[in-house]
Amino acid sequence: MRLFNPWEMGQDQTKQQIEKGLHLYQSNQTEKALRVWMRVLEKSADPAGRFRVLGCLITAHAEMGRYKDMLKFAVVQIDTARELEDPDFLTESYLNLARSNEKLCEFQKTISYCKTCLNMQGTTVSMQLNGQVSLSMGNAFLGLSIFQKALECFEKALRYAHNNDDKMLECRVCCSLGNFYTQIKDYEKALFFPCKAAELVNDYGKGWSLKYRAMSQYHMAVAYRKLGRLADAMDCCEESMKIALQHGDRPLQALCLLCFADIHRSRRDVQTAFPRYDSSMSIMTEIGNRLGLVQVLLGVTKCWMIQKELDKALESIEKAQELAEGLGNKLGLLKLHCLCERIYRTKEQQQELRDHVVKFHECVEEMELYCGMCGESIGEKNNQLQALPCSHFFHLKCLQTNGTRGCPNCRRLSVKPGYV
């Protein structure tokens, strides 16, 4: 028989303290909220309450960019879920473990934990989490530049969102789709999806966290910059940064600083761009966003190229290449080979030029970044694209010309374009 400990919290007190922490957190008193939740974790005798407070700690540390702490709490939550012997709790804890690894850019681990979630036989609650699992898996595949599987996961996540009328999930998926289409250079779709996310925030987001508005504005800013609409990009990025600063959202602050730097670089104002790249790099190094660091170093490289400082550009490329290889981010490597090609052509170093041309085309083949109908590359310039239900994507003009009776890549029959 377990003896009563007067210092332990019971079920009701645990619930009250969790709610107190949530109220503090929503009032931007983050450190006070964390102290309340940590006290619950130390003193509560209620396993279900401990599980819930661990969820609060995981979410808070994710939004602050403390990803290693997020991972630590996710591991403890799995042990708590096993103690409870509840499949729903176990599914949720594995999802948090997957998300923690996604934030730390451990994409293969993310995919593995997501598959564990999907293989669990839980109840309806677990099934409802499958949309979030598919989103996390899609983000991981995108980090590895496996575009067809990423799109397949995003489509599944969107389907779950629609079937469960989950507007928050739909909003998050639209932001990820904006990122997806930015990477493969369909800038109209890259703008369409975050605009759709912003609409969802306006129509349904009265009680939502402001992070949803901030994320949609950030992705709109990225798309506007790619489309050359720099004033619109600046407006959206400023609004996103304002929210990120108010809420202490370090990861989003780093992304906004990167976007600001890219906008100034697009204006050929490298002197204003450099300090923003430096600030973004500092935060991304602190939080462990290695994929973000690759993007920062790509921007820095382009600034050095504008200034014709080619040796400094090559130094930045070398750092970025090491990171991209460690992550398995093939699109980052492709972009770096493309920049090296331009540099070595200018320096008239033919052997190095040939090496990077070969490596560039190897990356294109590996990622299947070409249209299966016309054979031309995808992602080299802004082009309207369309996905089929199998999640292979093609130039829209090629599908309109040749029809969509079957996919040339996998020979799967198709009577209509895919949803996204």
Side-chain angles (χ1 to χ4, degrees):
M1 183 178 171
R2 193 170 181 275
L3 294 174
F4 173 71
N5 185 338
W7 296 106
E8 284 185 351
M9 290 183 188
Q11 194 172 354
D12 290 343
Q13 196 179 357
T14 297
K15 187 177 178 182
Q16 287 170 6
Q17 289 299 303
I18 290 171
E19 293 301 324
K20 179 183 175 182
L22 282 169
H23 180 74
L24 288 166
Y25 189 69
Q26 287 159 2
S27 307
N28 285 334
Q29 298 180 68
T30 305
E31 293 302 329
K32 284 184 180 178
L34 292 178
R35 284 196 293 274
V36 170
W37 288 331
M38 285 303 296
R39 195 160 57 246
V40 173
L41 195 60
E42 289 163 12
K43 297 188 179 298
S44 178
D46 172 31
R50 284 170 56 80
F51 183 91
R52 190 178 169 211
V53 83
L54 282 162
C56 294
L57 287 163
I58 288 163
T59 300
H61 283 87
E63 292 186 358
M64 290 185 291
R66 298 179 188 173
Y67 298 142
K68 288 180 181 175
D69 289 328
M70 179 190 180
L71 178 61
K72 180 183 72 177
F73 288 121
V75 171
V76 176
Q77 194 184 45
I78 282 185
D79 292 337
T80 308
R82 286 185 178 136
E83 183 187 338
L84 287 159
E85 296 181 341
D86 185 307
D88 289 337
F89 283 137
L90 201 55
T91 302
E92 187 178 334
S93 61
Y94 268 102
L95 171 58
N96 283 327
L97 191 58
R99 282 176 174 161
S100 304
N101 280 282
E102 178 199 328
K103 299 295 185 186
L104 287 164
C105 302
E106 295 287 352
F107 299 125
Q108 294 289 4
K109 287 182 182 178
T110 303
I111 292 163
S112 175
Y113 289 128
C114 284
K115 286 179 178 176
T116 301
C117 289
L118 294 173
N119 289 334
M120 284 181 182
Q121 298 298 313
T123 63
T124 309
V125 177
S126 289
M127 294 298 289
Q128 287 173 351
L129 288 176
N130 283 351
Q132 296 178 46
V133 175
S134 295
L135 174 59
S136 191
M137 193 187 287
N139 289 335
F141 278 126
L142 189 56
L144 295 169
S145 310
I146 305 173
F147 294 108
Q148 186 205 357
K149 287 188 176 179
L151 188 60
E152 197 175 296
C153 290
F154 293 147
E155 286 194 309
K156 282 180 184 174
L158 208 52
R159 213 172 296 128
Y160 281 116
H162 289 161
N163 291 344
N164 293 291
D165 198 29
D166 188 338
K167 301 301 181 186
M168 282 188 185
L169 175 60
E170 185 179 352
C171 182
R172 289 168 57 205
V173 177
C174 283
C175 287
S176 286
L177 282 166
N179 185 23
F180 176 90
Y181 281 108
T182 296
Q183 292 195 28
I184 59 172
K185 295 192 177 180
D186 181 344
Y187 297 144
E188 284 73 17
K189 277 194 171 75
L191 180 59
F192 168 80
F193 282 106
C195 283
K196 174 66 177 171
E199 280 179 25
L200 289 165
V201 173
N202 288 335
D203 293 344
Y204 303 98
K206 192 174 180 182
W208 297 5
S209 163
L210 281 172
K211 71 177 182 182
Y212 290 96
R213 178 165 185 80
M215 281 308 299
S216 63
Q217 292 296 313
Y218 162 73
H219 285 288
M220 285 167 66
V222 171
Y224 277 134
R225 187 191 73 81
K226 294 286 190 180
L227 288 163
R229 294 170 59 177
L230 301 184
D232 290 327
M234 187 63 83
D235 287 345
C236 289
C237 199
E238 283 174 349
E239 183 169 353
S240 183
M241 186 60 150
K242 182 181 175 183
I243 296 170
L245 288 168
Q246 283 173 350
H247 289 261
D249 188 334
R250 300 283 282 163
L252 185 55
Q253 288 170 30
L255 291 173
C256 288
L257 285 163
L258 170 57
C259 189
F260 283 135
D262 285 339
I263 292 167
H264 290 298
R265 175 172 56 79
S266 296
R267 292 172 171 164
R268 315 287 286 186
D269 182 2
V270 296
Q271 296 307 322
T272 308
F274 271 131
R276 283 154 183 78
Y277 282 128
D278 287 343
S279 297
S280 179
M281 189 181 296
S282 176
I283 297 174
M284 286 184 179
T285 302
E286 171 200 320
I287 67 178
N289 185 353
R290 291 174 289 155
L291 187 57
L293 284 171
V294 173
Q295 300 304 314
V296 171
L297 287 164
L298 278 165
V300 169
T301 299
K302 290 172 185 176
C303 282
W304 288 127
M305 289 171 73
I306 289 168
Q307 292 193 318
K308 298 188 169 33
E309 297 270 10
L310 301 186
D311 290 333
K312 287 182 178 178
L314 287 170
E315 285 175 20
S316 294
I317 285 173
E318 190 178 341
K319 292 175 189 172
Q321 189 168 344
E322 187 181 342
L323 283 166
E325 284 173 352
L327 293 168
N329 181 245
K330 293 182 276 290
L331 184 64
L333 290 170
L334 179 144
K335 289 179 178 179
L336 292 164
H337 292 313
C338 185
L339 291 172
C340 284
E341 185 185 329
R342 285 167 54 190
I343 290 169
Y344 288 122
R345 181 171 280 113
T346 303
K347 289 166 81 78
E348 297 182 346
Q349 292 179 226
Q350 297 304 317
Q351 184 57 53
E352 289 85 351
L353 170 61
R354 279 193 292 273
D355 289 346
H356 285 286
V357 169
V358 169
K359 287 173 182 173
F360 174 85
H361 287 291
E362 284 174 355
C363 286
V364 171
E365 286 290 324
E366 196 176 348
M367 290 185 284
E368 298 184 3
L369 273 181
Y370 50 84
C371 176
M373 291 187 172
C374 69
E376 290 182 13
S377 63
I378 285 172
E380 198 171 322
K381 59 184 178 182
N382 185 19
N383 252 316
Q384 283 187 289
L385 304 172
Q386 179 63 58
L388 296 181
C390 56
S391 298
H392 283 119
F393 44 89
F394 304 87
H395 293 128
L396 178 62
K397 65 179 188 296
C398 294
L399 287 173
Q400 288 172 338
T401 303
N402 299 302
T404 57
R405 285 169 296 180
C407 173
N409 289 15
C410 63
R411 304 297 170 192
R412 199 164 133 189
L413 286 177
S414 167
V415 293
K416 61 180 181 177
Y419 186 78
V420 297

